[in-house]
């Protein structure tokens, strides 16, 4: 039986926390920043956690399950 490959796009975008949750970054913070407010850009730079509805699909991409 061959090994299962991790999705290379997913391994660049998600990291695991110490407690096993999946950390992600916000979108819309890479370009066209002139029309966005300071508050919007500041809030986008923080990282967040993957929502419970999407955890299983992300784990499948990362070959964790």
């Amino acid at each position: 039986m061959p090994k299962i490959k991790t999705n290379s796009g997913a391994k660049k975008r998600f990291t695991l926390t110490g407690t096993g949750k999946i950390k992600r970054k916000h979108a819309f913070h890479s370009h066209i920043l002139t029309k966005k407010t300071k508050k919007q850009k500041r809030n986008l730079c923080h990282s967040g956690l993957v929502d419970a509805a999407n955890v299983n699909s992300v784990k499948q991409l990362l070959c964790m399950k």
Side-chain angles (χ1 to χ4, degrees):
M1 187 96 185
K3 291 183 180 179
I4 300 172
K5 290 189 176 180
T6 303
N7 184 285
S8 59
K11 71 183 174 188
K12 296 168 192 171
R13 287 172 171 82
F14 301 108
T15 53
L16 282 175
T17 63
T19 55
K21 295 175 182 172
I22 303 171
K23 204 161 64 166
R24 67 173 179 86
K25 293 182 180 175
H26 282 103
F28 306 109
H29 192 61
S30 57
H31 59 92
I32 316 177
L33 298 172
T34 52
K35 61 178 77 170
K36 293 174 185 147
T37 62
K38 288 180 183 179
K39 181 180 180 180
Q40 193 176 1
K41 289 184 277 194
R42 183 173 63 242
N43 289 334
L44 286 172
C45 77
H46 303 302
S47 60
L49 295 175
V50 172
D51 193 66
N54 302 318
V55 167
N56 287 336
S57 24
V58 173
K59 280 185 177 180
Q60 191 175 358
L61 290 171
L62 296 172
C63 297
M64 294 173 54
K65 189 175 176 185

